[in-house]
Amino acid sequence: MSRYFLAVDIGASSGRHILFWLEDGKMRQEEIYRFPNGNVKKNGHLIWDVESLSGHIVEGMKECGRRGITPVSVGVDTWGVDFVLLDKDGKRLGDAVGYRDSRTDRADEYVKRFLSEEELYARTGIQKQKFNTIYQLAALKEQEPELLAKADKMLMMPDYFHWMLCGHAATEYTNATTGQLVSPKTFDWDYELIEKLGYPKKIFQPLVAPGTVLGDLKPEIAKQVGYACKIVAPGTHDTASAVLAVPSQSDAPLYISSGTWSLMGTELHEAICTPQAQKANLTNEGGYDRRFRFLKNIMGLWMIQSVKKEIGQDLSFGEIADGAAKTQITSLVPANDDRFLAPENMTREVQAACREQGEQVPEGIFETASVIYRSLAKCYAETIEEIEAITGKHYDAVHIVGGGSNADYLNRLTAQATGRKVLAGPGEATAIGNAAAQMIAAGELKDRLDARDVIGKSFAIRVYEP
């Protein structure tokens, strides 16, 4: 009799519920529910529709009940840095503002009053991004201090959903680290830093490791979905779960978790918080087994998603990639520049960047996509060189996991640009890693290496030679 595990994987543009189980030594999966996601404009801010997402989580869980399946556990993963505030009665305060919102545009000025960017990096090992939790709290403190004063708890997005499901308030370690308020030495909140910045200590909940059993499903939700089960915190930061699913037995594989963002890096036993690492804008996010994801955030397929929405709505991503591969344009843009984070129109922004650099300006969806794909591959190549220089290690291959691993044209460009073998897959890496953490917690898999071995045997991996 198979034991089932339900991974709820919520990305910036969509979410899905995927059932996993082991069969004949391999991991099997079945997607049972999918739903849309995205920022909505409210009160002048870009926010996440928490009520809608909560409803979709429960609705997807109901699908298990309709199929007569009772999962052993359920775990939720999402993106990082964003959070929900609760008052002492457990009521949500304000909106869950999204990381692409402009409220943090000058929030770093507040943080700089207390310590320099160099001191902050040396202390946390986390790259500066204007939307990190540390800056979101700074924006709140200056723009809505009354809201922060009323707060009793701060829960990162997946922690909020776990609290909604089982009533246990805790913050999972890997997601917490993305906010730039966790110490890489103590693996806990940096309370000295938090006090220095004037943030209320009481809102920060205890950190728990990925794979922690948080509790049982609330009786009222169990009644709705038709079964009782455990709630387990996987690596709740989507990249942490994706990295757990990298099918490599290497102690430090080189990977790209490719999706809306491209997260490129390796795994370390100790964080590298040097000025050299800071200059390269590399970060030390928390990983499974207290490892560090030493990586760079690269803009990723968000750029392709945006231009598709603007000028390629009638085409599939595959058709766009095929058309891009046939173009002759050679222009490049600095794909990781902040100008591409949330432009009013991505197509025009790419064209403007080319024009400013005196390069051929792309016309139409295929030329624009070609510029983006080729620029991403160049970013990957540059990042490998930075990682090798700082770690002193050489990497012969790069694993690409996540939805972007299906981008054949980008995979070919990446092999060419980096001069490394590319191993692409699995595509649903985040959900797979989410389920793997649940399976380890339940004793179905032994540990991280056992999980990666099983994953490598279970899913197709495509090879691209340089």
Side-chain angles (χ1 to χ4, degrees):
M1 185 72 177
S2 297
R3 301 175 76 199
Y4 293 90
F5 301 83
L6 183 60
V8 183
D9 173 28
I10 308 178
S13 57
S14 68
R16 74 280 304 153
H17 291 56
I18 303 181
L19 273 174
F20 290 88
W21 65 98
L22 293 180
E23 185 179 299
D24 299 327
K26 293 185 178 181
M27 190 182 286
R28 309 295 187 186
Q29 70 176 57
E30 182 183 1
E31 181 180 305
I32 62 169
Y33 187 79
R34 182 173 283 263
F35 55 96
N37 188 27
N39 285 145
V40 295
K41 197 85 171 180
K42 182 181 177 184
N43 298 325
H45 292 291
L46 293 172
I47 70 160
W48 302 107
D49 189 341
V50 174
E51 294 298 329
S52 175
L53 291 173
S54 299
H56 280 299
I57 289 171
V58 173
E59 193 60 36
M61 291 173 66
K62 285 181 182 178
E63 186 58 30
C64 288
R66 295 187 189 105
R67 296 174 182 227
I69 292 173
T70 299
V72 173
S73 60
V74 176
V76 181
D77 67 75
T78 74
W79 58 96
V81 305
D82 291 342
F83 55 85
V84 172
L85 293 177
L86 301 176
D87 68 13
K88 57 183 176 60
D89 297 318
K91 294 181 180 178
R92 195 154 43 84
L93 290 168
D95 295 309
V97 179
Y99 59 85
R100 294 191 192 275
D101 187 74
S102 62
R103 70 172 176 172
T104 57
D105 282 354
R106 290 182 296 278
D108 61 340
E109 295 173 5
Y110 173 84
V111 176
K112 285 178 184 176
R113 295 178 206 164
F114 302 93
L115 72 172
S116 68
E117 290 179 8
E118 291 75 19
E119 290 172 316
L120 183 58
Y121 186 85
R123 187 166 190 142
T124 66
I126 299 299
Q127 73 178 124
K128 180 187 176 182
Q129 296 189 105
K130 68 176 187 177
F131 47 69
N132 287 349
T133 311
I134 190 172
Y135 298 118
Q136 294 201 39
L137 288 171
L140 265 180
K141 188 168 178 61
E142 294 212 305
Q143 299 167 24
E144 297 182 271
E146 70 287 349
L147 205 62
L148 203 54
K150 292 178 184 176
D152 184 66
K153 294 180 178 65
M154 179 188 77
L155 295 173
M156 308 300 281
M157 295 299 292
D159 302 318
Y160 172 78
F161 296 129
H162 287 146
W163 173 82
M164 180 266 295
L165 291 171
C166 73
H168 183 74
T171 300
E172 190 275 316
Y173 165 71
T174 68
N175 207 310
T177 63
T178 67
Q180 213 170 1
L181 288 164
V182 173
S183 167
K185 294 180 179 178
T186 66
F187 300 93
D188 198 359
W189 295 113
D190 187 336
Y191 286 108
E192 184 181 8
L193 173 61
I194 288 165
E195 284 188 304
K196 183 190 290 278
L197 295 170
Y199 302 156
K201 282 178 63 176
K202 69 176 182 178
I203 69 174
F204 295 88
Q205 302 306 296
L207 296 189
V208 298
T212 298
V213 179
L214 296 175
D216 296 312
L217 197 62
K218 286 180 179 178
E220 59 268 31
I221 298 195
K223 185 176 180 181
Q224 287 184 60
V225 302
Y227 56 83
C229 66
K230 299 289 184 185
I231 299 301
V232 172
T236 61
H237 186 229
D238 47 13
T239 310
S241 278
V243 170
L244 179 57
V246 172
S248 170
Q249 290 298 296
S250 167
D251 190 54
L254 184 71
Y255 59 80
I256 302 172
S257 176
S258 180
T260 300
W261 287 89
S262 289
L263 297 308
M264 185 173 196
T266 187
E267 285 186 302
L268 301 175
H269 290 280
E270 293 183 6
I272 299 178
C273 305
T274 63
Q276 185 185 13
Q278 181 188 18
K279 185 178 180 182
N281 216 21
L282 287 156
T283 197
N284 296 269
E285 295 175 349
Y288 201 83
D289 279 348
R290 284 195 168 185
R291 287 167 177 258
F292 293 94
R293 295 174 281 133
F294 189 57
L295 59 82
K296 176 175 283 191
N297 287 277
I298 299 170
M299 204 62 68
L301 295 178
W302 152 252
M303 298 176 74
I304 292 291
Q305 293 165 0
S306 297
V307 296
K308 179 184 186 301
K309 190 179 296 184
E310 292 161 1
I311 58 173
Q313 292 181 348
D314 297 332
L315 299 170
S316 69
F317 286 111
E319 289 170 332
I320 291 172
D322 289 343
K326 295 173 183 175
T327 66
Q328 301 299 313
I329 193 167
T330 60
S331 302
L332 295 169
V333 296
N336 218 28
D337 194 284
D338 278 351
R339 69 188 298 170
F340 300 117
L341 180 63
E344 289 187 11
N345 185 285
M346 184 68 74
T347 306
R348 289 200 294 267
E349 199 69 33
V350 171
Q351 291 171 331
C354 289
R355 192 176 296 112
E356 290 164 16
Q357 296 169 172
E359 298 200 52
Q360 180 183 344
V361 177
E363 297 294 337
I365 182 63
F366 298 136
E367 285 192 354
T368 306
S370 180
V371 170
I372 292 171
Y373 282 128
R374 295 175 65 258
S375 299
L376 287 174
K378 184 174 184 287
C379 272
Y380 299 160
E382 293 170 344
T383 302
I384 289 178
E385 291 177 2
E386 291 171 333
I387 291 172
E388 289 187 335
I390 293 170
T391 62
K393 298 178 182 178
H394 175 73
Y395 301 92
D396 294 319
V398 54
H399 288 267
I400 301 182
V401 299
S405 68
N406 297 315
D408 178 76
Y409 180 47
L410 181 56
N411 294 340
R412 286 188 277 124
L413 288 172
T414 300
Q416 293 167 13
T418 63
R420 270 79 168 178
K421 179 187 293 186
V422 167
L423 305 167
E428 289 286 1
T430 298
I432 292 168
N434 178 327
Q438 295 184 54
M439 289 179 172
I440 293 170
E444 289 280 287
L445 296 171
K446 295 177 186 176
D447 53 25
R448 174 178 52 87
L449 291 179
D450 184 35
R452 285 177 168 170
D453 181 56
V454 170
I455 290 166
K457 295 173 181 175
S458 303
F459 303 98
I461 309 298
R462 297 175 305 285
V463 180
Y464 298 81
E465 296 291 347

